[in-house]
Amino acid sequence: MLPTLYLSDCKGSVKIAMGAVVCVESDIRGDVTIGARTVVHPKARIIAEAGPIVIGDGNLIEEQALIINSYPENMLPDAEDVEPKTMNIGINNVFEVGCVSQALKIGDNNVIESKAEVGRNVILTSGCIVGACCAVNTCEVIPENTVIYGSECLRRVQTERPQPQTLQLDFLMKILPNYHHLKKTVKASSTPARS
Amino acid sequence: MATLLQPEKVLYLVRGEKKIRVPLSQLYFCRYCSELRSLECVSHEVDSHFCPSCLENMPSAEAKLKKNRCANCFDCPCCMHTLSTRATNIPAPLPDDPTKTTMKKAYYLACGFCRWTSRDVGMADKSVASGGWQEPENPHTQRINKLIEYYQQLAQREKLERDRKKLARRRPFMPQAFSQHTIHVVEKYGLGTRLQRQRSGAPISALYGLSLKEGEDQKEITIEPAQALDEVEPLPEDYYTRPVNLPEVTTLRQRLLQPDFQPAGASQLHPRHKHLLMKRSLRCRKCEHNLSKPEFNPTSIKFKIQLVAVSYIPEVRIMSIPNLRHMKESQVLLTLTNPVENITHVSLYTCEEEDPDDINSTAKVLVPSKELVLAGKDAAAEYDELAEPQGFQDDPDVVTFRKSNKIGFFIKVIPQREEGDVTVAFKLRHDFRNLAAPIRNTEEVEATSEAIWLTHHVELSLGPLAT
């Protein structure tokens, strides 16, 4: 279930590094930092309401993906003093179309396939693949190179991590600016500007 | 509304060897016997084999040689999906000049669903796209083959003796020509295909059997009995204390799909060739006519012969169910569809008391007493906007609507039990014109086709009582 959004506390400051391709049609709210060579497709949503989100380099965030740092379900934003927790996302991750990720810590080289859901208390290490339509909302650290697949979320360990999508990223970074307006890259200290 | 159209709610009774109640869409109709047939009272024959992923056709003999598996396609040993071949570029030294490296293509198998690759089990990448993959050898193959040969010979001998006995009893006459309606029967121990009548026990021409196999009979095969061993390998010492590495343990399904090896560890799961599927044809057991014969081409879903019940028998469907209350009469709206092109007359009867077919009904039903007339199915009617009214006099209490070959009508249902699902049953009697009857003598040129009346037992399950 998608959490409801409380927008009263969102302070808009989106920091986009040089070399990242972020389309204007994407919906980025709150304190979000996006690393170099990351591609954010149109209609992707990155929402930092309960804390900042830091996204590393070389990530691929596809359409209708939702990366959200939200309050835990049964807490109102003004009820107690909640420390804002930062959501950290590593490098070379792929968030495929329509996935929902609320995990606070994601390592490198992970793939979250289409329509998968990753809960808040899951920690993805490196090389993990969450299969299409798999919902993982346990409270655990997923070991490296784990593949979660199937309607029953079976698991297995693969011997090598998934390859970083460099070819795809290069292609997108060439093609997307031809068809979409991009958000201006901003250094970390200055104010944001929407194009 | 979509749930009411579910065919499982309306069951037709098939009076075959067993009494089976099945929806009409799963039944066949033998128009020579004029009876409904279900899958259990027909004989199934294999038409052709094909691979479900590459759609390659294979004659049955070749399929048997390859143990019913495709030569090109593989199954993932982990999730049983079809494996696809992927290519990577690896640097490899040129044959002429060992110092320079060039990019060569290396192929490996990968599963798109669970991300298993052939590198997981240690299979090296191949340099050819297809045909390079070998299945691992079973160490017991030789012994098994020898055993199979020995038992085949034994079975052969038993059969010859049986044939000789029969030959001695029978009066000698011409060997029967193989009739058209014979079925492949795989004999004991898979000796080979022999054409044989399935149940009637009519003996084949015994002369044929004797003459062919005599040459091979001369080789006697002996086998050594299996040796029992006294000592068994001991279990490793930490067998009970070592923690189990769960991702490495294979599931039962993965293990049993490879009965040769049954590996306990996931790192020994090798891919297997894909199983072939087959197309089958169905034959009525009483009159030996084909009821369903698919086309030979694996990509074609059509049938050469398709005698399905839905195209001959009027179909009853539930349209709407009101709230059903215990011992209160309510009206259920049903539709009747006429599948044939001529006018059909349908009458419904309630089941009598002590009807042996009527075991499931939990409610009384009152069916319309008049005969219902259904117009023929007119394929061009849907394009004809100026459809003329059909001129049937319908009793508005019984027939609610009429639309080309379909009518809606009411039945009255009185649930008899306080709890549980409401099930009603009635008999459906309609006239059937057998257009497939063999052409009669020229004297009866005028007889178009006689109508015979068929009666079917129909059961409807109307769901639970309204609370």
Side-chain angles (χ1 to χ4, degrees), chain B residues 313-367:
Chain B
I313 311 281
E315 188 179 357
V316 175
R317 275 198 183 168
I318 305 177
M319 191 158 165
S320 75
I321 308 178
N323 285 330
L324 298 166
R325 296 187 201 284
H326 177 54
M327 298 308 260
K328 296 230 167 49
E329 187 182 280
S330 10
Q331 287 197 333
V332 176
L333 182 58
L334 304 178
T335 57
L336 250 186
T337 315
N338 180 15
V340 293
E341 284 168 352
N342 31 27
I343 295 183
T344 310
H345 305 266
V346 177
S347 19
L348 304 169
Y349 300 100
T350 49
C351 295
E352 296 162 18
E353 300 267 334
E354 313 293 338
D355 191 352
D357 295 333
D358 187 13
I359 47 176
N360 282 337
S361 61
T362 59
K364 266 199 217 159
V365 60
L366 300 168
V367 289

Short mmCIF file of all heavy atoms in Angstrom, two decimals, chain B residues 313-367:
data_model
loop_
_atom_site.label_atom_id
_atom_site.label_comp_id
_atom_site.label_asym_id
_atom_site.label_seq_id
_atom_site.Cartn_x
_atom_site.Cartn_y
_atom_site.Cartn_z
N ILE B 313 -25.29 -29.15 -29.37
CA ILE B 313 -26.30 -29.24 -28.31
C ILE B 313 -26.63 -27.84 -27.86
O ILE B 313 -25.72 -27.03 -27.65
CB ILE B 313 -25.72 -30.02 -27.10
CG1 ILE B 313 -25.08 -31.31 -27.56
CG2 ILE B 313 -26.75 -30.27 -26.06
CD1 ILE B 313 -26.04 -32.38 -27.84
N PRO B 314 -27.91 -27.50 -27.65
CA PRO B 314 -28.23 -26.17 -27.11
C PRO B 314 -27.63 -26.00 -25.72
O PRO B 314 -27.65 -26.91 -24.91
CB PRO B 314 -29.77 -26.18 -27.04
CG PRO B 314 -30.22 -27.32 -27.82
CD PRO B 314 -29.11 -28.29 -27.93
N GLU B 315 -27.12 -24.80 -25.50
CA GLU B 315 -26.40 -24.58 -24.25
C GLU B 315 -27.24 -23.73 -23.31
O GLU B 315 -27.80 -22.71 -23.72
CB GLU B 315 -25.09 -23.85 -24.53
CG GLU B 315 -24.21 -23.76 -23.31
CD GLU B 315 -22.90 -23.06 -23.59
OE1 GLU B 315 -22.68 -22.70 -24.75
OE2 GLU B 315 -22.13 -22.87 -22.64
N VAL B 316 -27.31 -24.17 -22.08
CA VAL B 316 -28.05 -23.43 -21.05
C VAL B 316 -27.04 -22.60 -20.28
O VAL B 316 -25.98 -23.09 -19.91
CB VAL B 316 -28.74 -24.41 -20.08
CG1 VAL B 316 -29.41 -23.66 -18.95
CG2 VAL B 316 -29.75 -25.25 -20.81
N ARG B 317 -27.35 -21.33 -20.06
CA ARG B 317 -26.46 -20.51 -19.24
C ARG B 317 -27.29 -19.75 -18.23
O ARG B 317 -28.41 -19.35 -18.52
CB ARG B 317 -25.72 -19.51 -20.11
CG ARG B 317 -24.49 -20.10 -20.71
CD ARG B 317 -23.60 -19.02 -21.18
NE ARG B 317 -22.44 -19.59 -21.82
CZ ARG B 317 -21.58 -18.87 -22.53
NH1 ARG B 317 -21.78 -17.60 -22.67
NH2 ARG B 317 -20.54 -19.45 -23.07
N ILE B 318 -26.70 -19.49 -17.08
CA ILE B 318 -27.41 -18.73 -16.06
C ILE B 318 -27.22 -17.26 -16.33
O ILE B 318 -26.08 -16.81 -16.53
CB ILE B 318 -26.86 -19.08 -14.67
CG1 ILE B 318 -26.92 -20.58 -14.44
CG2 ILE B 318 -27.66 -18.36 -13.60
CD1 ILE B 318 -26.33 -20.99 -13.14
N MET B 319 -28.30 -16.51 -16.35
CA MET B 319 -28.16 -15.09 -16.61
C MET B 319 -28.27 -14.26 -15.34
O MET B 319 -27.46 -13.39 -15.10
CB MET B 319 -29.21 -14.64 -17.61
CG MET B 319 -28.95 -13.25 -18.11
SD MET B 319 -29.75 -13.02 -19.66
CE MET B 319 -29.68 -11.27 -19.80
N SER B 320 -29.26 -14.52 -14.53
CA SER B 320 -29.30 -13.79 -13.26
C SER B 320 -30.00 -14.62 -12.22
O SER B 320 -30.93 -15.36 -12.51
CB SER B 320 -30.02 -12.45 -13.42
OG SER B 320 -31.39 -12.66 -13.51
N ILE B 321 -29.49 -14.50 -11.00
CA ILE B 321 -30.06 -15.25 -9.89
C ILE B 321 -30.59 -14.24 -8.88
O ILE B 321 -29.84 -13.38 -8.43
CB ILE B 321 -28.99 -16.13 -9.21
CG1 ILE B 321 -28.28 -16.99 -10.24
CG2 ILE B 321 -29.62 -17.00 -8.16
CD1 ILE B 321 -27.20 -17.82 -9.64
N PRO B 322 -31.84 -14.33 -8.47
CA PRO B 322 -32.32 -13.42 -7.43
C PRO B 322 -31.90 -13.94 -6.07
O PRO B 322 -31.22 -14.94 -5.97
CB PRO B 322 -33.84 -13.49 -7.59
CG PRO B 322 -34.05 -14.88 -8.05
CD PRO B 322 -32.87 -15.26 -8.90
N ASN B 323 -32.33 -13.26 -5.02
CA ASN B 323 -32.05 -13.78 -3.68
C ASN B 323 -32.86 -15.04 -3.46
O ASN B 323 -34.08 -15.04 -3.60
CB ASN B 323 -32.44 -12.73 -2.63
CG ASN B 323 -31.43 -11.63 -2.59
OD1 ASN B 323 -30.27 -11.85 -2.86
ND2 ASN B 323 -31.89 -10.42 -2.28
N LEU B 324 -32.19 -16.10 -3.08
CA LEU B 324 -32.88 -17.36 -2.89
C LEU B 324 -33.16 -17.54 -1.41
O LEU B 324 -32.26 -17.41 -0.60
CB LEU B 324 -32.01 -18.52 -3.38
CG LEU B 324 -31.66 -18.47 -4.86
CD1 LEU B 324 -30.54 -19.43 -5.17
CD2 LEU B 324 -32.87 -18.82 -5.69
N ARG B 325 -34.38 -17.83 -1.07
CA ARG B 325 -34.73 -18.02 0.35
C ARG B 325 -35.36 -19.38 0.52
O ARG B 325 -36.01 -19.91 -0.36
CB ARG B 325 -35.69 -16.92 0.79
CG ARG B 325 -35.00 -15.58 0.72
CD ARG B 325 -35.84 -14.49 1.32
NE ARG B 325 -35.41 -13.21 0.82
CZ ARG B 325 -34.31 -12.60 1.23
NH1 ARG B 325 -33.55 -13.15 2.13
NH2 ARG B 325 -33.96 -11.44 0.71
N HIS B 326 -35.16 -19.91 1.70
CA HIS B 326 -35.62 -21.25 2.02
C HIS B 326 -37.13 -21.33 1.86
O HIS B 326 -37.87 -20.55 2.41
CB HIS B 326 -35.20 -21.54 3.46
CG HIS B 326 -35.66 -22.87 3.96
ND1 HIS B 326 -35.39 -24.04 3.29
CD2 HIS B 326 -36.37 -23.22 5.04
CE1 HIS B 326 -35.91 -25.04 3.96
NE2 HIS B 326 -36.51 -24.58 5.03
N MET B 327 -37.55 -22.30 1.06
CA MET B 327 -38.96 -22.61 0.83
C MET B 327 -39.74 -21.46 0.21
O MET B 327 -40.95 -21.42 0.30
CB MET B 327 -39.66 -23.02 2.14
CG MET B 327 -39.09 -24.30 2.76
SD MET B 327 -39.01 -25.64 1.59
CE MET B 327 -40.46 -26.55 2.05
N LYS B 328 -39.04 -20.51 -0.39
CA LYS B 328 -39.77 -19.44 -1.09
C LYS B 328 -39.46 -19.57 -2.57
O LYS B 328 -38.31 -19.81 -2.96
CB LYS B 328 -39.33 -18.07 -0.61
CG LYS B 328 -39.63 -17.79 0.83
CD LYS B 328 -40.31 -16.45 0.96
CE LYS B 328 -40.90 -16.24 2.32
NZ LYS B 328 -40.05 -16.52 3.44
N GLU B 329 -40.47 -19.37 -3.39
CA GLU B 329 -40.29 -19.55 -4.82
C GLU B 329 -39.65 -18.30 -5.41
O GLU B 329 -40.09 -17.19 -5.17
CB GLU B 329 -41.66 -19.77 -5.45
CG GLU B 329 -41.61 -20.12 -6.90
CD GLU B 329 -43.02 -20.28 -7.42
OE1 GLU B 329 -43.59 -21.34 -7.19
OE2 GLU B 329 -43.52 -19.32 -8.03
N SER B 330 -38.57 -18.47 -6.15
CA SER B 330 -37.96 -17.33 -6.84
C SER B 330 -37.73 -17.71 -8.28
O SER B 330 -37.64 -18.88 -8.64
CB SER B 330 -36.65 -16.91 -6.18
OG SER B 330 -36.22 -17.84 -5.25
N GLN B 331 -37.56 -16.69 -9.12
CA GLN B 331 -37.41 -16.95 -10.54
C GLN B 331 -35.97 -16.73 -10.96
O GLN B 331 -35.39 -15.68 -10.70
CB GLN B 331 -38.30 -15.98 -11.33
CG GLN B 331 -39.75 -16.32 -11.23
CD GLN B 331 -40.53 -15.62 -12.30
OE1 GLN B 331 -40.12 -14.58 -12.76
NE2 GLN B 331 -41.64 -16.20 -12.70
N VAL B 332 -35.41 -17.71 -11.60
CA VAL B 332 -34.04 -17.61 -12.09
C VAL B 332 -34.09 -17.44 -13.59
O VAL B 332 -34.85 -18.15 -14.27
CB VAL B 332 -33.25 -18.88 -11.71
CG1 VAL B 332 -31.85 -18.83 -12.28
CG2 VAL B 332 -33.21 -19.05 -10.21
N LEU B 333 -33.30 -16.52 -14.11
CA LEU B 333 -33.32 -16.25 -15.55
C LEU B 333 -32.21 -17.05 -16.22
O LEU B 333 -31.04 -16.94 -15.86
CB LEU B 333 -33.11 -14.75 -15.78
CG LEU B 333 -33.14 -14.28 -17.21
CD1 LEU B 333 -34.46 -14.62 -17.85
CD2 LEU B 333 -32.94 -12.78 -17.26
N LEU B 334 -32.59 -17.88 -17.17
CA LEU B 334 -31.60 -18.68 -17.91
C LEU B 334 -31.65 -18.30 -19.38
O LEU B 334 -32.63 -17.74 -19.86
CB LEU B 334 -31.94 -20.17 -17.79
CG LEU B 334 -32.06 -20.77 -16.41
CD1 LEU B 334 -32.43 -22.23 -16.54
CD2 LEU B 334 -30.77 -20.66 -15.65
N THR B 335 -30.57 -18.60 -20.09
CA THR B 335 -30.60 -18.41 -21.54
C THR B 335 -30.32 -19.75 -22.21
O THR B 335 -29.59 -20.59 -21.69
CB THR B 335 -29.51 -17.43 -22.02
OG1 THR B 335 -28.24 -17.92 -21.58
CG2 THR B 335 -29.71 -16.05 -21.47
N LEU B 336 -30.92 -19.91 -23.37
CA LEU B 336 -30.68 -21.09 -24.19
C LEU B 336 -30.17 -20.62 -25.53
O LEU B 336 -30.78 -19.75 -26.16
CB LEU B 336 -32.01 -21.82 -24.42
CG LEU B 336 -32.27 -23.15 -23.76
CD1 LEU B 336 -33.56 -23.72 -24.27
CD2 LEU B 336 -31.16 -24.13 -24.06
N THR B 337 -29.08 -21.21 -25.97
CA THR B 337 -28.50 -20.80 -27.25
C THR B 337 -28.54 -21.97 -28.21
O THR B 337 -28.18 -23.10 -27.84
CB THR B 337 -27.02 -20.39 -27.05
OG1 THR B 337 -26.94 -19.58 -25.90
CG2 THR B 337 -26.51 -19.65 -28.24
N ASN B 338 -28.94 -21.71 -29.43
CA ASN B 338 -29.04 -22.76 -30.44
C ASN B 338 -27.81 -22.74 -31.33
O ASN B 338 -27.57 -21.76 -32.01
CB ASN B 338 -30.31 -22.50 -31.26
CG ASN B 338 -30.50 -23.54 -32.32
OD1 ASN B 338 -29.88 -24.59 -32.30
ND2 ASN B 338 -31.36 -23.26 -33.29
N PRO B 339 -27.01 -23.76 -31.33
CA PRO B 339 -25.77 -23.69 -32.11
C PRO B 339 -25.91 -24.07 -33.57
O PRO B 339 -25.02 -23.78 -34.36
CB PRO B 339 -24.87 -24.70 -31.39
CG PRO B 339 -25.81 -25.70 -30.84
CD PRO B 339 -27.07 -24.98 -30.51
N VAL B 340 -27.01 -24.72 -33.95
CA VAL B 340 -27.11 -25.21 -35.32
C VAL B 340 -27.93 -24.22 -36.15
O VAL B 340 -28.53 -23.29 -35.63
CB VAL B 340 -27.76 -26.61 -35.38
CG1 VAL B 340 -26.86 -27.61 -34.73
CG2 VAL B 340 -29.10 -26.58 -34.69
N GLU B 341 -27.97 -24.45 -37.41
CA GLU B 341 -28.54 -23.45 -38.31
C GLU B 341 -30.01 -23.64 -38.56
O GLU B 341 -30.63 -22.81 -39.21
CB GLU B 341 -27.80 -23.48 -39.64
CG GLU B 341 -26.46 -22.80 -39.51
CD GLU B 341 -25.57 -23.06 -40.69
OE1 GLU B 341 -25.96 -23.89 -41.55
OE2 GLU B 341 -24.51 -22.44 -40.77
N ASN B 342 -30.59 -24.71 -38.12
CA ASN B 342 -32.03 -24.89 -38.32
C ASN B 342 -32.77 -24.72 -37.00
O ASN B 342 -32.16 -24.72 -35.93
CB ASN B 342 -32.36 -26.24 -38.96
CG ASN B 342 -31.37 -27.29 -38.53
OD1 ASN B 342 -30.78 -27.19 -37.46
ND2 ASN B 342 -31.18 -28.28 -39.36
N ILE B 343 -34.04 -24.55 -37.12
CA ILE B 343 -34.86 -24.26 -35.93
C ILE B 343 -34.87 -25.47 -35.02
O ILE B 343 -34.98 -26.61 -35.46
CB ILE B 343 -36.29 -23.93 -36.37
CG1 ILE B 343 -36.26 -22.64 -37.18
CG2 ILE B 343 -37.19 -23.75 -35.17
CD1 ILE B 343 -37.63 -22.18 -37.59
N THR B 344 -34.71 -25.22 -33.77
CA THR B 344 -34.67 -26.30 -32.78
C THR B 344 -35.82 -26.12 -31.80
O THR B 344 -36.10 -25.01 -31.38
CB THR B 344 -33.35 -26.26 -32.01
OG1 THR B 344 -32.29 -26.17 -32.94
CG2 THR B 344 -33.16 -27.50 -31.18
N HIS B 345 -36.44 -27.23 -31.48
CA HIS B 345 -37.51 -27.21 -30.48
C HIS B 345 -36.99 -27.85 -29.21
O HIS B 345 -36.46 -28.96 -29.24
CB HIS B 345 -38.72 -28.01 -30.98
CG HIS B 345 -39.21 -27.54 -32.31
ND1 HIS B 345 -40.21 -26.63 -32.46
CD2 HIS B 345 -38.80 -27.86 -33.56
CE1 HIS B 345 -40.41 -26.40 -33.75
NE2 HIS B 345 -39.58 -27.13 -34.44
N VAL B 346 -37.13 -27.14 -28.12
CA VAL B 346 -36.58 -27.61 -26.86
C VAL B 346 -37.70 -27.70 -25.85
O VAL B 346 -38.50 -26.77 -25.73
CB VAL B 346 -35.51 -26.62 -26.34
CG1 VAL B 346 -35.00 -27.07 -25.00
CG2 VAL B 346 -34.37 -26.51 -27.33
N SER B 347 -37.78 -28.81 -25.15
CA SER B 347 -38.71 -28.86 -24.02
C SER B 347 -37.95 -29.30 -22.78
O SER B 347 -37.00 -30.08 -22.85
CB SER B 347 -39.90 -29.77 -24.27
OG SER B 347 -39.66 -30.67 -25.28
N LEU B 348 -38.40 -28.78 -21.67
CA LEU B 348 -37.74 -29.07 -20.41
C LEU B 348 -38.68 -29.88 -19.55
O LEU B 348 -39.88 -29.64 -19.55
CB LEU B 348 -37.39 -27.77 -19.69
CG LEU B 348 -36.55 -26.78 -20.49
CD1 LEU B 348 -36.49 -25.46 -19.79
CD2 LEU B 348 -35.15 -27.32 -20.68
N TYR B 349 -38.13 -30.80 -18.81
CA TYR B 349 -38.93 -31.61 -17.90
C TYR B 349 -38.25 -31.64 -16.55
O TYR B 349 -37.03 -31.67 -16.46
CB TYR B 349 -39.04 -33.06 -18.39
CG TYR B 349 -39.66 -33.19 -19.76
CD1 TYR B 349 -38.87 -33.36 -20.88
CD2 TYR B 349 -41.04 -33.14 -19.91
CE1 TYR B 349 -39.43 -33.47 -22.13
CE2 TYR B 349 -41.62 -33.26 -21.15
CZ TYR B 349 -40.80 -33.42 -22.26
OH TYR B 349 -41.35 -33.53 -23.51
N THR B 350 -39.07 -31.66 -15.51
CA THR B 350 -38.44 -31.85 -14.21
C THR B 350 -38.10 -33.32 -14.05
O THR B 350 -38.70 -34.19 -14.66
CB THR B 350 -39.40 -31.46 -13.07
OG1 THR B 350 -40.65 -32.10 -13.31
CG2 THR B 350 -39.59 -29.98 -13.01
N CYS B 351 -37.12 -33.55 -13.20
CA CYS B 351 -36.74 -34.94 -12.96
C CYS B 351 -37.83 -35.60 -12.12
O CYS B 351 -38.36 -34.99 -11.21
CB CYS B 351 -35.44 -35.00 -12.18
SG CYS B 351 -34.08 -34.34 -13.11
N GLU B 352 -38.08 -36.84 -12.44
CA GLU B 352 -39.12 -37.52 -11.64
C GLU B 352 -38.57 -37.89 -10.28
O GLU B 352 -37.38 -37.84 -10.03
CB GLU B 352 -39.54 -38.80 -12.36
CG GLU B 352 -40.19 -38.52 -13.68
CD GLU B 352 -40.17 -39.77 -14.51
OE1 GLU B 352 -39.99 -40.85 -13.92
OE2 GLU B 352 -40.33 -39.67 -15.73
N GLU B 353 -39.49 -38.28 -9.41
CA GLU B 353 -39.05 -38.77 -8.11
C GLU B 353 -38.22 -40.01 -8.34
O GLU B 353 -38.51 -40.82 -9.20
CB GLU B 353 -40.27 -39.16 -7.27
CG GLU B 353 -41.22 -38.04 -7.01
CD GLU B 353 -40.87 -37.37 -5.70
OE1 GLU B 353 -40.28 -38.05 -4.84
OE2 GLU B 353 -41.18 -36.19 -5.56
N GLU B 354 -37.22 -40.20 -7.52
CA GLU B 354 -36.41 -41.41 -7.61
C GLU B 354 -35.73 -41.55 -8.96
O GLU B 354 -35.55 -42.64 -9.47
CB GLU B 354 -37.24 -42.69 -7.37
CG GLU B 354 -38.16 -42.65 -6.18
CD GLU B 354 -37.36 -42.60 -4.88
OE1 GLU B 354 -36.18 -42.99 -4.89
OE2 GLU B 354 -37.93 -42.16 -3.89
N ASP B 355 -35.36 -40.44 -9.50
CA ASP B 355 -34.57 -40.51 -10.73
C ASP B 355 -33.13 -40.87 -10.34
O ASP B 355 -32.54 -40.20 -9.50
CB ASP B 355 -34.60 -39.13 -11.41
CG ASP B 355 -34.03 -39.18 -12.80
OD1 ASP B 355 -33.46 -40.22 -13.19
OD2 ASP B 355 -34.13 -38.16 -13.50
N PRO B 356 -32.57 -41.92 -10.91
CA PRO B 356 -31.23 -42.30 -10.46
C PRO B 356 -30.16 -41.28 -10.81
O PRO B 356 -29.11 -41.25 -10.21
CB PRO B 356 -30.97 -43.62 -11.20
CG PRO B 356 -31.92 -43.63 -12.33
CD PRO B 356 -33.12 -42.87 -11.89
N ASP B 357 -30.43 -40.40 -11.78
CA ASP B 357 -29.42 -39.41 -12.12
C ASP B 357 -29.46 -38.21 -11.20
O ASP B 357 -28.54 -37.43 -11.17
CB ASP B 357 -29.64 -38.90 -13.55
CG ASP B 357 -29.44 -39.99 -14.56
OD1 ASP B 357 -28.67 -40.91 -14.27
OD2 ASP B 357 -30.06 -39.92 -15.63
N ASP B 358 -30.56 -38.06 -10.49
CA ASP B 358 -30.79 -36.81 -9.78
C ASP B 358 -30.30 -36.95 -8.35
O ASP B 358 -31.08 -37.18 -7.44
CB ASP B 358 -32.29 -36.52 -9.84
CG ASP B 358 -32.62 -35.18 -9.27
OD1 ASP B 358 -31.69 -34.39 -9.06
OD2 ASP B 358 -33.82 -34.94 -9.04
N ILE B 359 -29.00 -36.81 -8.15
CA ILE B 359 -28.50 -37.03 -6.79
C ILE B 359 -28.10 -35.75 -6.11
O ILE B 359 -27.96 -35.69 -4.92
CB ILE B 359 -27.30 -37.99 -6.81
CG1 ILE B 359 -26.32 -37.56 -7.90
CG2 ILE B 359 -27.74 -39.41 -7.01
CD1 ILE B 359 -25.07 -38.38 -7.91
N ASN B 360 -27.92 -34.68 -6.87
CA ASN B 360 -27.31 -33.50 -6.27
C ASN B 360 -28.28 -32.38 -6.00
O ASN B 360 -27.91 -31.39 -5.42
CB ASN B 360 -26.24 -32.92 -7.22
CG ASN B 360 -24.98 -33.73 -7.13
OD1 ASN B 360 -24.76 -34.38 -6.14
ND2 ASN B 360 -24.18 -33.68 -8.17
N SER B 361 -29.52 -32.50 -6.44
CA SER B 361 -30.34 -31.29 -6.38
C SER B 361 -30.85 -31.07 -4.96
O SER B 361 -31.20 -31.99 -4.25
CB SER B 361 -31.50 -31.39 -7.34
OG SER B 361 -32.31 -32.47 -7.00
N THR B 362 -30.80 -29.80 -4.56
CA THR B 362 -31.24 -29.45 -3.22
C THR B 362 -32.43 -28.51 -3.27
O THR B 362 -32.73 -27.84 -2.32
CB THR B 362 -30.12 -28.73 -2.46
OG1 THR B 362 -29.76 -27.56 -3.19
CG2 THR B 362 -28.92 -29.62 -2.30
N ALA B 363 -33.06 -28.41 -4.42
CA ALA B 363 -34.20 -27.50 -4.53
C ALA B 363 -35.17 -28.07 -5.54
O ALA B 363 -34.80 -28.82 -6.43
CB ALA B 363 -33.75 -26.11 -4.98
N LYS B 364 -36.44 -27.65 -5.37
CA LYS B 364 -37.42 -28.06 -6.38
C LYS B 364 -37.43 -27.03 -7.49
O LYS B 364 -37.21 -25.84 -7.26
CB LYS B 364 -38.82 -28.06 -5.73
CG LYS B 364 -39.22 -29.39 -5.22
CD LYS B 364 -40.72 -29.44 -5.04
CE LYS B 364 -41.01 -30.25 -3.80
NZ LYS B 364 -42.28 -30.03 -3.23
N VAL B 365 -37.68 -27.51 -8.68
CA VAL B 365 -37.66 -26.58 -9.80
C VAL B 365 -38.92 -26.78 -10.62
O VAL B 365 -39.41 -27.90 -10.78
CB VAL B 365 -36.38 -26.79 -10.64
CG1 VAL B 365 -36.29 -28.20 -11.20
CG2 VAL B 365 -36.28 -25.78 -11.74
N LEU B 366 -39.48 -25.66 -11.09
CA LEU B 366 -40.64 -25.74 -11.98
C LEU B 366 -40.22 -25.15 -13.31
O LEU B 366 -39.85 -23.98 -13.40
CB LEU B 366 -41.79 -24.90 -11.40
CG LEU B 366 -42.26 -25.37 -10.02
CD1 LEU B 366 -43.16 -24.33 -9.39
CD2 LEU B 366 -43.00 -26.69 -10.16
N VAL B 367 -40.25 -25.99 -14.32
CA VAL B 367 -39.78 -25.54 -15.62
C VAL B 367 -40.98 -25.18 -16.49
O VAL B 367 -42.09 -25.67 -16.24
CB VAL B 367 -38.94 -26.64 -16.30
CG1 VAL B 367 -37.63 -26.80 -15.60
CG2 VAL B 367 -39.67 -27.94 -16.33
#
